Amino acid sequence: MKITRINVRRKPQQSRAKFTQDALMDSFVQLLLEKEAAQITIREITDLAGVGLGTFYEYFSQKEDLLALTIHHYVQRNALALQHSCETALKQNIPLKTYIHSLIHVQIEAIAEQSHLWQKLFLLERHISNIDMYQKHYLQHVHAWCFALKQHPRHTEINIEWLALNIHRISYGFISQSLMVNLEIPDWKKLEQDIQIALSGCI
C-alpha cells in the first residue's frame, strides 16, 4: 500500500505525547530488526511500547502511517546529523575536497552503525512511499548538502546546488543500493573509497 502523505491524527504538543509517539516508533524499529514489516502487528507494537490499542489510534489511523513517520524520522535525523557535523569538520581548516570526504565519512559511519535497520528502511521506503514523499526525502538531503557546502570558506568558487545534488546522487545511490541489493552488509571502507573516486570528477 502506497502512502501519499503521513496521516498523524494527533500531533504531539506536549512532552508526554511526544514520548508516547517516540515509544511507538522505537517499538516498531525494534520489531523490524527481528522480522519483516508486513509481519508486525499493531498489537505487538503497542504491547512493546507499553500502551493500549486505543492510544495507537489516537496518533495513527493505520500501521502504514507509523511506518511512514518512522522512515521520515530517520531520514530527517540523517540530514540533520550531516548539518551538525559541519562545525567539527570546519575546525580542521581543511580544503573543500577533504571537507566533503570527511562529511561523507561521518554519514557512512552513522549508517554503518545501524546497517540492518537502514537496509530495511531503504526497502520499506520503496514499498510504502509514493513519488512525492520519496522526492521530499531526497530533496531534504540535497538541501542538507547545500547547507554544508555553504559553510566552507571556498563555497563561493563552486556551483553549490549542482555539487550538492551530485554528491547526494552518488553517495545515496552507492549506500542505498549496496544495502538493498546485497544480503550481506557491504565493506564500508571500500564503499567509501568508491564514493570518493566517483566524486572526483565533480569536485
Side-chain angles (χ1 to χ4, degrees), residues 6 17 51 55 65 67 76 82 92 99 101 103 105 111 117 120 126 134 146 150 160 163 171 175 185 189-190 192 199:
I6 302 174
V51 300
T55 300
D65 289 323
L67 273 55
Q76 186 177 50
L82 173 62
Q92 303 173 42
Y99 172 70
H101 286 171
L103 294 181
H105 177 73
I111 292 177
L117 175 60
K120 290 200 169 188
R126 280 150 181 75
Y134 180 79
C146 282
K150 287 178 182 177
I160 290 175
L163 184 54
S171 59
I175 293 169
I185 298 303
K189 185 176 181 179
K190 177 64 167 60
E192 184 174 346
L199 281 172

Side-chain angles (χ1 to χ4, degrees), residues 68-190:
L69 183 64
T70 303
I71 293 169
H72 175 74
H73 171 79
Y74 273 85
V75 168
Q76 186 177 50
R77 191 169 74 174
N78 188 260
L80 288 173
L82 173 62
Q83 294 181 6
H84 292 157
S85 61
C86 297
E87 185 177 348
T88 302
L90 287 170
K91 288 179 180 178
Q92 303 173 42
N93 192 28
I94 51 181
L96 179 63
K97 183 176 182 179
T98 308
Y99 172 70
I100 292 171
H101 286 171
S102 69
L103 294 181
I104 289 174
H105 177 73
V106 171
Q107 192 176 48
I108 287 178
E109 269 193 333
I111 292 177
E113 286 178 4
Q114 296 180 296
S115 298
H116 292 290
L117 175 60
W118 276 103
Q119 186 177 56
K120 290 200 169 188
L121 289 177
F122 281 132
L123 290 166
L124 191 57
E125 181 181 33
R126 280 150 181 75
H127 179 67
I128 70 169
S129 297
N130 76 341
I131 187 63
D132 290 337
M133 286 186 65
Y134 180 79
Q135 288 175 337
K136 182 178 179 180
H137 289 159
Y138 197 92
L139 289 175
Q140 190 170 10
H141 274 102
V142 174
H143 293 157
W145 273 108
C146 282
F147 172 87
L149 293 173
K150 287 178 182 177
Q151 308 312 303
H152 194 275
R154 301 284 298 275
H155 75 272
T156 56
E157 302 174 14
I158 59 174
N159 183 330
I160 290 175
E161 287 75 16
W162 175 84
L163 184 54
L165 177 61
N166 282 293
I167 290 173
H168 185 57
R169 279 172 174 166
I170 293 170
S171 59
Y172 174 78
F174 274 58
I175 293 169
S176 64
Q177 290 179 31
S178 295
L179 283 172
M180 289 189 296
V181 173
N182 301 311
L183 294 178
E184 296 182 0
I185 298 303
D187 180 338
W188 291 107
K189 185 176 181 179
K190 177 64 167 60

